[in-house]
Amino acid sequence: DCIWTDWIDVSYPNSSDRNSGDYETFENIQKKNSSWVCAKAENISCRAEKFPDVPIADLGQIVECDVNTGLICNNSQQHIGGIIPMPVCLNYEISVCCVPNTPECITSTTTSTTTTTPPSSTTS
């Protein structure tokens, strides 16, 4: 079973740099928060910080929200229009459903050993 994280926002897009963007990637999250560990992401949810109830597909931006990498939004891929009049990424945040980082269950095998002693011989 996976456990959903709180909303994570470690990157903010620089509106004056076309080569910037918003990068809520697992790598960036790990760099900013060394205690964050996600053994395996089962699911991901992405939303714009200022428009949390609007599906990202309806925002008019090119955004990658991927269970393997996280969220990537490049300013250079944005066009004028949509919710904001400037061709830059909105600030996004993600929530990830992670499988807890616990060791796999190890099945132990119990071996029983029986020792037999030969009957003692008696001499008459």
Side-chain angles (χ1 to χ4, degrees):
D1 289 349
C2 63
I3 299 165
W4 284 97
T5 65
D6 290 333
W7 289 101
I8 302 168
D9 185 3
V10 297
S11 171
Y12 194 85
N14 180 343
S15 60
S16 63
D17 185 356
R18 290 291 289 158
N19 295 318
S20 178
D22 195 17
Y23 306 103
E24 306 300 336
T25 62
F26 299 149
E27 182 180 339
N28 282 349
I29 295 166
Q30 182 69 47
K31 283 179 189 174
K32 303 266 182 170
N33 181 358
S34 60
S35 65
W36 188 79
V37 178
C38 183
K40 182 178 183 225
E42 289 285 329
N43 204 343
I44 188 169
S45 182
C46 301
R47 69 182 187 185
E49 176 201 21
K50 292 190 179 188
F51 306 99
D53 298 324
V54 179
I56 60 171
D58 296 344
L59 294 172
Q61 296 211 315
I62 298 169
V63 178
E64 179 184 337
C65 179
D66 186 277
V67 74
N68 296 311
T69 55
L71 179 134
I72 296 174
C73 180
N74 294 303
N75 285 347
S76 61
Q77 293 180 307
Q78 307 314 313
H79 306 288
I80 294 174
I83 287 186
I84 57 168
M86 297 182 343
V88 295
C89 294
L90 293 166
N91 185 42
Y92 290 93
E93 51 191 9
I94 67 171
S95 178
V96 184
C97 197
C98 289
V99 174
N101 192 17
T102 55
E104 295 298 317
C105 294
I106 299 169
T107 311
S108 61
T109 310
T110 307
T111 309
S112 61
T113 309
T114 308
T115 307
T116 54
T117 323
S120 56
S121 58
T122 49
T123 343
S124 0

